[in-house]
Amino acid sequence: MAVTNAAVKIPFEAPAPEKRARNRAATEQAILDAAKRLLAEEGFQNFGINAVARGAGCDKQLIYRYYGGLNGLVEAIGTDLGSWVADRIPDDTGGMFLLTYGDLMERLSMLFLDALRADPLMRRIVAWEVSESSEQVRRLSEARSKALAGWIERMRGSLVPPKGVDAQAVNAMIFAAIQHIVLASAVSDQCAGLALKNSKDWEKAAIALKRIVRGVYG
Amino acid sequence: MAVTNAAVKIPFEAPAPEKRARNRAATEQAILDAAKRLLAEEGFQNFGINAVARGAGCDKQLIYRYYGGLNGLVEAIGTDLGSWVADRIPDDTGGMFLLTYGDLMERLSMLFLDALRADPLMRRIVAWEVSESSEQVRRLSEARSKALAGWIERMRGSLVPPKGVDAQAVNAMIFAAIQHIVLASAVSDQCAGLALKNSKDWEKAAIALKRIVRGVYG
DNA sequence: CTTGCTAATCACCGATCGGTGACAGATTGG
DNA sequence: CCAATCTGTCACCGATCGGTGATTAGCAAG
């Protein structure tokens, strides 16, 4: 055949002279890291076997071997998510005394808002959750909400919501608002006409959020 | 006889004897309808030239010719969105007297919640908005928020928010909460631990929402 | 050194994607 | 009647996707 040998691909091999040694554990970690990085930076849209393998600098076959495919890999990300959450959201009260349930929810709202804003991976996962109904994302979703619920329970202590208020429903609304507003800001710097660019904008959003919390819980 | 003839492809030609006549306007409409249907039913993930052409029962070439590709088609959907919103969200007060800004926002919240729940296309678009930052979705987003803002302005009448409350920020939070909770319910029947399946669940959600509105606006 | 095990790579598959150029059939104007 | 125009169809392109079988390369025990 007319060999076109001159057309060989030189696939950008040079600048990574650090070849990983023959080491399964390290490769597994590299794959997992690449998956998280890719999901955080590019979103779930172009998240696939080929992309992860490229990002990890290894063959996709290894993803099948070590994780059983994308599903297993996503599951592994979910497993990671628990500690991930624990690492990124403070467990303490920030030196405040949370005397009432309103104090608590105000504090939780602010912590969650800041944590989500600072965590692209978590944002992408939330966006994924509301966009697709596959088994993959269902697992991720479960891991996330479990970690979150655990965190809230830990922070709650012995505080109880006021009588006559469906705290579960109200809190779901509050967390929903935070999630949506952070997601919207990440793609368009605004939400429902409210600018969400600089820290001044966010200060307004935070005040509004506190106002809502206090309006319900006093 | 060993009829190899049986192996011929019969490409499922029969059950659609209704061939569209040679008619550009009708074809354009069929494409637009197919696009909206596809987006509403399948989501933005598998929304593409090929899928739309399949759905419209015509060649994709026509989409390029009549709409200039997917971008133009999405833009056409955006243009449609104005009347779409106007058709689906009531403009009247439902026989209520909206005496205060709180009355208004409570009513708007309920209307928006119901409308979004009943409108899969709008849901998909919102999910798209928070998942991708392309020019396509930016156009859609603008059309949607414009239609929404117009609706709110129309409903507002002469009512003004109470002093000392950043109504824009608070309302953004409320609408964000509604959008996220509806999106979440559409894929997983729950949000942040709150079940959102039957009408009883939704009644609880609605009450919580009203509570929040009343907590802020009285 | 040879044998085996395993990490890792390579080559290929069919399917689908977005996109384009060429062509067929109907309609219309001269 | 012919030619131009418009609607619609078809075949094909390169790229990428998820997935798999065969193969190479490094390491340790015998």
Side-chain angles (χ1 to χ4, degrees):
Chain A
M1 50 172 174
V3 163
T4 61
N5 200 352
V8 292
K9 266 195 291 189
I10 299 183
F12 178 57
E13 164 193 3
E18 35 160 338
K19 321 187 48 166
R20 255 193 320 281
R22 239 173 102 82
N23 180 346
R24 168 158 183 169
T27 301
E28 283 183 358
Q29 192 59 45
I31 292 174
L32 186 58
D33 290 345
K36 293 200 289 187
R37 216 200 68 227
L38 204 93
L39 186 53
E41 293 178 1
E42 307 289 331
F44 60 93
Q45 296 251 58
N46 299 89
F47 185 75
I49 285 280
N50 292 303
V52 172
R54 256 193 313 267
C58 71
D59 197 277
K60 57 182 168 181
Q61 174 73 22
L62 298 183
I63 300 178
Y64 287 104
R65 266 218 266 285
Y66 297 154
Y67 291 95
L70 251 197
N71 286 3
L73 184 51
V74 170
E75 205 159 341
I77 293 180
T79 304
D80 246 32
L81 229 53
S83 47
W84 189 270
V85 169
D87 285 350
R88 294 182 115 74
I89 308 191
D91 249 77
D92 58 70
T93 60
M96 301 177 178
F97 292 102
L98 305 182
L99 296 177
T100 70
Y101 195 81
D103 293 343
L104 171 71
M105 282 309 300
E106 179 176 313
R107 173 93 179 132
L108 291 192
S109 304
M110 293 300 107
L111 285 177
F112 184 61
L113 177 65
D114 292 339
L116 197 57
R117 279 186 61 199
D119 191 337
L121 176 60
M122 213 47 104
R123 283 203 309 261
R124 298 294 194 173
I125 291 177
V126 174
W128 201 358
E129 283 178 22
V130 299
S131 300
E132 195 179 303
S133 183
S134 64
E135 194 53 39
Q136 287 183 21
V137 75
R138 167 167 270 91
R139 295 261 174 79
L140 265 190
S141 180
E142 242 169 67
R144 194 181 68 89
S145 77
K146 205 168 176 177
L148 200 62
W151 171 66
I152 293 180
E153 189 56 32
R154 251 176 293 132
M155 296 282 287
R156 192 177 65 84
S158 57
L159 292 175
V160 293
K163 286 284 177 199
V165 178
D166 185 347
Q168 191 192 26
V170 168
N171 292 345
M173 290 289 166
I174 291 170
F175 279 82
I178 294 173
Q179 290 185 25
H180 188 87
I181 226 161
V182 172
L183 290 202
S185 78
V187 299
S188 73
D189 283 330
Q190 62 148 7
C191 176
L194 180 69
L196 293 168
K197 259 186 123 156
N198 51 49
S199 58
K200 203 164 180 62
D201 299 331
W202 281 105
E203 190 52 37
K204 284 167 72 174
I207 290 174
L209 200 53
K210 290 188 213 166
R211 183 119 206 170
I212 286 176
V213 171
R214 291 304 185 177
V216 176
Y217 293 125
Chain B
M1 50 175 188
V3 168
T4 47
N5 201 352
V8 293
K9 263 196 292 186
I10 299 181
F12 179 56
E13 165 194 4
E18 35 159 337
K19 322 184 49 168
R20 251 194 322 282
R22 242 172 101 82
N23 181 345
R24 169 162 181 169
T27 302
E28 283 183 359
Q29 192 58 47
I31 292 174
L32 186 58
D33 289 346
K36 292 200 290 187
R37 217 200 66 229
L38 204 95
L39 186 52
E41 293 178 1
E42 308 288 331
F44 60 93
Q45 296 252 57
N46 299 88
F47 184 75
I49 285 280
N50 291 302
V52 172
R54 259 195 310 270
C58 72
D59 197 277
K60 56 182 169 181
Q61 174 73 22
L62 298 183
I63 300 178
Y64 287 104
R65 266 219 269 282
Y66 297 155
Y67 290 94
L70 251 197
N71 286 4
L73 184 51
V74 170
E75 204 159 342
I77 294 180
T79 303
D80 245 35
L81 228 55
S83 48
W84 188 269
V85 168
D87 284 352
R88 295 183 113 74
I89 309 191
D91 249 76
D92 60 69
T93 61
M96 301 177 177
F97 292 101
L98 304 181
L99 296 178
T100 69
Y101 195 82
D103 293 344
L104 171 71
M105 282 310 299
E106 179 177 314
R107 174 90 178 133
L108 291 192
S109 304
M110 293 301 107
L111 285 178
F112 184 61
L113 177 64
D114 292 340
L116 197 57
R117 280 185 61 197
D119 190 337
L121 177 59
M122 213 48 102
R123 282 202 310 262
R124 298 294 194 173
I125 291 178
V126 175
W128 201 357
E129 283 178 23
V130 298
S131 300
E132 195 178 302
S133 183
S134 63
E135 194 53 37
Q136 287 183 21
V137 74
R138 165 167 273 93
R139 295 261 175 79
L140 265 190
S141 179
E142 241 168 68
R144 193 182 69 89
S145 77
K146 204 167 177 179
L148 200 63
W151 171 67
I152 293 180
E153 190 56 31
R154 251 176 293 133
M155 296 283 287
R156 192 177 66 83
S158 57
L159 292 175
V160 293
K163 288 284 175 197
V165 179
D166 185 349
Q168 190 191 29
V170 168
N171 292 346
M173 289 289 168
I174 291 170
F175 279 81
I178 294 173
Q179 291 185 26
H180 188 87
I181 226 161
V182 172
L183 290 201
S185 79
V187 297
S188 73
D189 284 330
Q190 61 148 11
C191 176
L194 179 68
L196 293 167
K197 259 186 125 157
N198 50 49
S199 57
K200 204 167 179 57
D201 299 330
W202 280 106
E203 191 50 40
K204 284 166 71 174
I207 289 174
L209 201 52
K210 291 189 214 167
R211 183 119 205 168
I212 285 176
V213 171
R214 291 304 184 176
V216 176
Y217 294 122

